[in-house]
Amino acid sequence: MSNNGQSKWLATHIAALPRSGIRDFFELVSEMDDVISLGVGEPDFATPWGIREATIYALEKGHTNYTSNLGLMRLREVACDYVAANFGMRYHAAAECIITVGVSEALDLILRAILDPGDEVVYHEPCYVSYAPSIQMAHAVPVAVQTVESEAFALEPGRLEQAITKKTKAILLNFPNNPTGANLSFEQKEQVAQVAVRHDLLVITDEIYAELTWGEACQSIAAFPGMRERTIFLHGMSKAYAMTGFRIGYACGPPELIEAMMKIHQYSMLCASIVAQEAAIEALRNGRADMEAMKEEYCQRRNVIVKRLNDMGLRCTPPEGAFYVYPNITCTGLTSTEFAHRLLREHKVAVVPGIAFSSAGDGFIRCSYATSMENIEEAMARLAKFIAK
Amino acid sequence: MKEEILNLLKKDARLAPSEIADRLATDVETVAGIIDECEKSKTIYGYCALVNEEAFDKPPVRALIEVSVQPERDDGFDNIARKISKFSQVSDVMLVSGNYDLQLIVVGDSLQDIAGFVSGKLAPMNGVTSTRTHFMLKKYKECGFTAEDEEDYERLSVTP
């Protein structure tokens, strides 16, 4: 059944997909005890109790059925109100919003809804590991534009424009960014928006970290002139509300695109879990104080980790958002994979090699500060010993 | 900055000024200066540890006491509340709205100890019109901290 370790039944485009670099590293880490992990891309907080309690109540009331393919109308309404209040775009709950199983599903839906074989999607690296594979699984071509440390990992509009060809259909954005923590300024977003309008492209904007910003408040590119009709805004509950396991995301955008996404969702996923949707309603209605408290804690951890890294000589751009730092490790002379493997073996600290997020990521590692202050201090002490060697 | 420092100390009074400075991305002199000023002005009026007294050989007895008082013409509730606060057995005094006026927490070595304090000292005070004593059986949460940890659920150690 196998040919070069692969089943002959596999589709060519799936066989060609690389395994996530994180996967191998995860298996290595999971074989070791007492590791302090800065490798986790999810909050270390449990979901706030008020949200958990509302989830239990939903179960008690017997809310255990399918929902509309688009999601519970009550959730779409509160989500659209939340987007209007926090981002400035007003979407119609009935036709311009769909509830999905995390932002990951929403991204997959919009890519499959718009892409024909051979179409190109321009995205920026370093980025979340699924972007290029998701584009490839939709039979399209991912085109990476590198963001660089000297520009604080912001997307440079000139370089973006150079990557656009006649085959380009969409631009995929993720700011605040995983893994760099970068955000775009108002002017930078405006310039990226102008590029999209000039080339008549759709913009897919993954704003899952939008609440977790340490400088300017979140400003969606969808709110810029000429953008609402050409933007799919992706957001969800996972990061700011510590609800990763609930798997609730949502997409807002033009009705014909939401309708197309709904068709795929209807035939593949059917609907997101009703219990998780009830939890999301509670979070969006009453979860802000808990969210703000977690945000304050992340901000303090960010200040500490940035200071410790820079003090030990690992140059680290202060992140504008999310809960990651992306320090430069070139002074060690190690590749990011060597660095991460040796740090794990010699000092039992897990970080993710930059190469997992970008072909040009070798001079960097990603450290997540979604872990306790105590863990951060201990990990930084061990890292400093490693660097000093 | 002052409120941020105070909020951090409320969560962990043992934080050193240098640790607070790192967390708030400021310098240690600024933090130490603000703490000093708050202590002098009594904005910070004490530091204490939250202790599970069940671990003591002889755990103290605590009672929550509801006290109704006759307010005074010039001082309202303040004069009598201050007098009650002076007793070493009284650890907390609050003026509250509702069916009674002052809520106290009183600490003693035994039930009799507290009963003796209430009947011998508190109830006979001028201005105290009635008391109602509730003995504390178990403490679950104090100052935002729970006495027992929530069970840890193991997270994946590396995720994208």
Side-chain angles (χ1 to χ4, degrees):
Chain A
M1 288 283 177
S2 83
N3 181 16
N4 294 330
Q6 290 199 330
S7 165
K8 67 177 182 181
W9 309 114
L10 283 185
T12 317
H13 72 295
I14 299 299
L17 282 182
R19 259 166 71 98
S20 164
I22 281 187
R23 187 75 222 162
D24 298 327
F25 195 62
F26 168 72
E27 279 167 15
L28 193 63
V29 175
S30 55
E31 288 165 7
M32 294 176 69
D33 293 326
D34 305 322
V35 172
I36 296 184
S37 182
L38 304 181
V40 187
E42 67 173 336
D44 56 313
F45 301 103
T47 307
W49 175 249
I51 300 169
R52 286 188 271 162
E53 190 274 338
T55 315
I56 296 163
Y57 182 64
L59 280 173
E60 282 178 357
K61 297 260 285 180
H63 291 195
T64 55
N65 306 97
Y66 292 134
T67 72
S68 148
N69 298 127
L70 287 166
L72 290 171
M73 183 51 116
R74 285 181 290 123
L75 175 55
R76 283 181 278 153
E77 281 169 356
V78 292
C80 288
D81 287 348
Y82 185 86
V83 171
N86 293 285
F87 298 89
M89 301 88 71
R90 168 53 71 181
Y91 293 100
H92 300 295
E96 295 182 320
C97 179
I98 181 170
I99 307 302
T100 57
V101 180
V103 167
S104 293
E105 194 215 349
L107 177 65
D108 181 51
L109 294 179
I110 186 61
L111 291 171
R112 286 204 273 163
I114 63 164
L115 294 174
D116 286 313
D119 283 348
E120 293 176 1
V121 177
V122 180
Y123 70 106
H124 49 91
E125 282 188 353
C127 69
Y128 183 59
V129 296
S130 84
Y131 291 165
S134 296
I135 296 163
Q136 287 168 307
M137 284 192 284
H139 304 280
V141 182
V143 178
V145 177
Q146 294 299 324
T147 62
V148 294
E149 187 189 17
S150 60
E151 293 163 358
F153 296 106
L155 178 57
E156 205 280 311
R159 221 170 296 135
L160 168 68
E161 196 151 21
Q162 278 170 18
I164 293 167
T165 71
K166 283 182 183 162
K167 291 180 178 171
T168 308
K169 202 161 215 176
I171 301 169
L172 169 54
L173 301 174
N174 169 228
F175 293 103
N177 178 258
N178 174 8
T180 65
N183 203 355
L184 297 185
S185 67
F186 183 91
E187 291 73 23
Q188 287 165 332
K189 280 183 185 157
E190 192 171 43
Q191 288 172 338
V192 171
Q194 285 163 357
V195 171
V197 172
R198 196 152 55 237
H199 294 272
D200 193 20
L201 300 174
L202 181 75
V203 169
I204 303 164
T205 180
D206 172 356
E207 304 199 14
I208 189 65
Y209 293 99
E211 289 86 351
L212 305 177
T213 54
W214 318 125
E216 292 174 36
C218 47
Q219 172 82 39
S220 176
I221 194 163
F224 285 78
M227 292 307 292
R228 192 187 183 286
E229 60 269 30
R230 63 174 65 253
T231 304
I232 285 285
F233 171 82
L234 307 181
H235 201 14
M237 309 310 299
S238 293
K239 309 296 180 174
Y241 290 90
M243 293 175 67
T244 46
F246 285 83
R247 312 300 308 123
I248 292 292
Y250 52 93
C252 298
E256 60 280 11
L257 289 178
I258 297 295
E259 172 68 17
M261 290 170 75
M262 191 277 289
K263 280 201 285 188
I264 305 168
H265 179 72
Q266 167 182 49
Y267 295 131
S268 52
M269 194 64 67
L270 216 161
C271 66
S273 151
I274 188 172
V275 185
Q277 292 191 54
E278 293 284 2
I281 292 171
E282 174 65 17
L284 292 175
R285 279 192 184 147
N286 301 313
R288 180 160 287 273
D290 285 319
M291 185 269 279
E292 294 286 351
M294 292 188 278
K295 180 178 170 179
E296 198 179 308
E297 181 72 30
Y298 290 132
C299 185
Q300 290 171 12
R301 296 171 183 179
R302 165 218 189 240
N303 293 339
V304 168
I305 202 167
V306 167
K307 182 164 194 302
R308 298 283 181 274
L309 288 166
N310 283 311
D311 284 353
M312 74 178 79
L314 292 184
R315 192 171 65 223
C316 175
T317 311
E320 295 288 322
F323 37 56
Y324 310 104
V325 283
Y326 197 64
N328 185 317
I329 55 153
T330 48
C331 65
T332 64
L334 300 171
T335 67
S336 65
T337 309
E338 287 166 351
F339 186 102
H341 281 250
R342 279 191 50 192
L343 180 65
L344 179 65
R345 274 201 311 271
E346 295 170 24
H347 294 276
K348 293 195 168 185
V349 175
V351 297
V352 182
I355 197 76
F357 306 102
S358 163
S359 56
D362 232 354
F364 300 87
I365 52 166
R366 187 194 75 175
C367 305
S368 161
Y369 48 93
T371 188
S372 70
M373 194 70 89
E374 195 184 352
N375 279 347
I376 288 170
E377 292 285 17
E378 176 59 25
M380 290 297 109
R382 292 186 193 183
L383 189 54
K385 272 189 212 157
F386 177 67
I387 299 298
K389 267 203 259 180
Chain B
M1 178 65 72
K2 182 169 143 186
E3 277 190 32
E4 287 170 305
I5 293 171
L6 291 173
N7 281 329
L8 275 175
L9 286 174
K10 278 171 65 182
K11 279 192 254 175
D12 183 357
R14 295 194 309 162
L15 280 179
S18 61
E19 290 173 291
I20 295 175
D22 288 350
R23 291 183 190 201
L24 301 180
T26 184
D27 58 90
V28 65
E29 291 78 18
T30 307
V31 173
I34 291 174
I35 293 174
D36 195 40
E37 187 189 302
C38 287
E39 287 174 351
K40 282 184 182 139
S41 66
K42 290 279 184 187
T43 302
I44 297 174
Y45 56 94
Y47 299 91
C48 66
L50 302 175
V51 174
N52 183 354
E53 292 170 334
E54 296 299 312
F56 287 9
D57 288 341
K58 194 170 176 303
V61 175
R62 288 174 185 272
L64 191 151
I65 305 182
E66 303 168 1
V67 185
S68 295
V69 299
Q70 181 65 48
E72 295 171 15
R73 178 165 182 143
D74 291 329
D75 287 316
F77 296 97
D78 288 351
N79 193 31
I80 190 148
R82 285 197 194 101
K83 276 187 196 162
I84 291 173
S85 299
K86 287 182 197 294
F87 288 107
S88 60
Q89 297 93 326
V90 175
S91 78
D92 298 56
V93 180
M94 279 166 280
L95 177 65
V96 296
S97 64
N99 291 338
Y100 57 99
D101 307 304
L102 298 175
Q103 180 170 299
L104 321 184
I105 292 175
V106 173
V107 189
D109 290 338
S110 62
L111 297 184
Q112 290 74 11
D113 197 19
I114 289 178
F117 170 74
V118 173
S119 58
K121 300 283 187 187
L122 184 65
M125 278 180 83
N126 275 340
V128 170
T129 57
S130 76
T131 66
R132 184 181 292 183
T133 303
H134 309 269
F135 285 100
M136 199 182 86
L137 304 179
K138 184 171 177 178
K139 187 176 277 183
Y140 294 92
K141 191 174 183 184
E142 184 177 12
C143 299
F145 292 85
T146 44
E148 291 161 1
D149 277 337
E150 190 169 16
E151 198 176 319
D152 262 353
Y153 182 77
E154 200 167 316
R155 285 197 299 168
L156 295 177
S157 48
V158 179
T159 59

